[in-house]
Amino acid sequence: MGAAVATRQIQFREAIREAMSEEMRRDKRVFLMGEEVAQYQGAYKVSQGMLDEFGEKRVIDVPISENGFAGLGVGAAMMGLRPIIEFMSWSFSLVAADQILNNAPKMLYMSGGQFGCPVVFRGNDGAGGQLGSTHSWAVEGLFANVPGLRIVIPSTPYDAKGLLKTAIRCDDPVFFLESERMLGNKGPVPEEEYLIPFGKADIKRAGGDCTLVSFGRPVHFCLEAAEKLAEEGIECEVIDGRTIRPLDMDTIIESIRKTNYCVVVDQSWPFGSVASEVATQIYERAMDHLDNRVYRVCSDDVPAPYSKNLEQAMLPNPGKIIKAVRQAMYLE
């Protein structure tokens, strides 16, 4: 059953909770660990009720020590468990960089195949909540450079649940990037079990004039921009990549062969961004199908401001996307 035919509407945070709870019921090796996930039921109430159902041995509070509990997760995964490690914010994962970047993704390689590392690190990613520059990291541009990782960045409750269940069953370390700004969003999610495979993008809106590619929260900005552009007679095809590693370039290339124009929207900073990687692969595989260069809409190349107005101006937004589409199509 797909999202389009599901009648039940639940919040993004509830979809994440359902995915974790269903997998914990299915597999006793799965447990949740993080700051305030148990007694406080999650800083953003994602784990509400899970301590009561699964007990303190499987829903575990930890001190503010990201390097320590990320390392515990890596060790537990090496010993055959299936940990889910919650970062209150991915900004704080930088404290645990050695564990999550220098150990988890290399463990299988360095041990000659003796130790896998099936761990899920998940939490809030990106700016948009007036949290200031040190608490507003969009880590995908930085972390996508590391081989051995899977990076998932859902945009809807339906995708969040199906992708997180796949992440928990994955034998590789998975970085699951959520958005605090979307946790209260509601969407159709079926009660029946389903999984969404990694590396399979979703066309959120069909169109034949310009391809918009995005990931996570900015997908919604693309959809808003596409609706406004449709009033001018410009029909954009909006592709939600869903996962950055693996990256579904086949779906993107197929769309560009139809539209001949492309704008990539990415909440990373522009230098060395996910958008840069997508644009490069488009040039490598579909140069002859382009009628203009690939345009990128990223966050401005500055630290995230605290001011609400400045923060919104710094992030990708529908206005920037509309301008980029018009430029790509030689309309501006």
Side-chain angles (χ1 to χ4, degrees):
M1 180 181 293
V5 295
T7 56
R8 186 185 62 146
Q9 300 265 336
I10 65 173
Q11 291 184 340
F12 199 106
R13 61 165 58 82
E14 294 172 317
I16 296 170
R17 183 190 311 142
E18 279 195 356
M20 293 192 294
S21 297
E22 287 179 10
E23 291 306 299
M24 288 175 71
R25 293 179 198 122
R26 186 188 64 83
D27 186 344
K28 293 187 180 304
R29 298 173 300 169
V30 181
F31 68 93
L32 173 65
M33 182 163 59
E35 297 159 356
E36 300 182 343
V37 299
Q39 296 293 337
Y40 192 66
Q41 305 195 80
Y44 298 95
K45 304 307 174 194
V46 171
S47 54
Q48 193 164 31
M50 292 182 66
L51 176 64
D52 290 340
E53 178 175 355
F54 299 104
E56 61 185 12
K57 290 186 177 179
R58 298 183 70 195
V59 182
I60 305 167
D61 277 330
V62 294
I64 300 175
S65 56
E66 283 79 5
N67 191 39
F69 66 78
L72 283 171
V74 171
M78 290 173 62
M79 291 295 101
L81 298 179
R82 295 268 172 172
I84 306 166
I85 306 299
E86 178 179 303
F87 292 124
M88 197 179 296
S89 164
W90 273 98
S91 298
F92 309 151
S93 74
L94 302 176
V95 181
D98 189 52
Q99 301 292 358
I100 67 172
L101 299 176
N102 210 24
N103 285 300
K106 301 176 181 176
M107 193 55 64
L108 185 67
Y109 173 77
M110 291 194 302
S111 68
Q114 295 181 81
F115 297 105
C117 198
V119 56
V120 176
F121 296 103
R122 47 158 292 269
N124 291 309
D125 175 65
Q130 287 189 278
L131 297 176
S133 61
T134 62
H135 289 48
S136 299
W137 269 83
V139 298
E140 52 268 39
L142 184 66
F143 292 170
N145 183 248
V146 180
L149 297 173
R150 309 293 187 105
I151 297 184
V152 182
I153 182 164
S155 69
T156 67
Y158 175 84
D159 287 356
K161 181 176 180 181
L163 289 165
L164 183 53
K165 287 172 69 73
T166 301
I168 295 168
R169 299 184 192 189
C170 182
D171 290 333
D172 297 322
V174 179
F175 290 8
F176 198 87
L177 312 183
E178 302 154 16
S179 167
E180 175 198 347
R181 307 298 294 175
M182 295 197 301
L183 289 175
N185 290 3
K186 281 191 171 184
V189 178
E191 294 185 52
E192 294 79 2
E193 173 161 285
Y194 64 95
L195 287 86
I196 297 176
F198 291 169
K200 184 61 180 173
D202 186 40
I203 298 175
K204 290 287 196 280
R205 185 185 193 283
D209 295 327
C210 182
T211 300
L212 285 171
V213 182
S214 193
F215 306 86
R217 187 180 175 221
V219 169
H220 297 280
F221 305 148
C222 291
L223 290 169
E224 187 176 339
E227 289 303 313
K228 291 181 179 176
L229 287 163
E231 296 173 2
E232 304 174 18
I234 301 170
E235 295 294 340
C236 292
E237 183 145 286
V238 179
I239 297 177
D240 180 352
R242 285 177 163 168
T243 61
I244 294 171
R245 272 187 177 259
L247 184 61
D248 181 8
M249 287 303 301
D250 289 345
T251 297
I252 296 170
I253 299 299
E254 184 177 345
S255 177
I256 290 172
R257 285 178 176 152
K258 177 175 62 178
T259 66
N260 308 121
Y261 299 107
C262 183
V263 174
V264 187
V265 183
D266 167 24
Q267 64 183 349
S268 306
W269 288 305
F271 195 101
S273 62
V274 175
S276 301
E277 177 62 26
V278 173
T280 298
Q281 293 199 34
I282 291 171
Y283 291 134
E284 290 173 343
R285 295 182 51 183
M287 185 76 169
D288 291 343
H289 295 279
L290 289 169
D291 285 344
N292 199 348
R293 68 176 175 88
V294 176
Y295 277 71
R296 296 179 297 156
V297 177
C298 294
S299 292
D300 292 347
D301 198 18
V302 296
Y306 178 77
S307 160
K308 185 176 182 179
N309 290 342
L310 291 177
E311 185 183 57
Q312 294 306 309
M314 169 255 189
L315 294 169
N317 57 55
K320 291 181 177 178
I321 297 165
I322 289 170
K323 181 179 179 65
V325 169
R326 288 175 176 154
Q327 290 177 326
M329 298 182 67
Y330 301 104
L331 298 173
E332 186 170 313

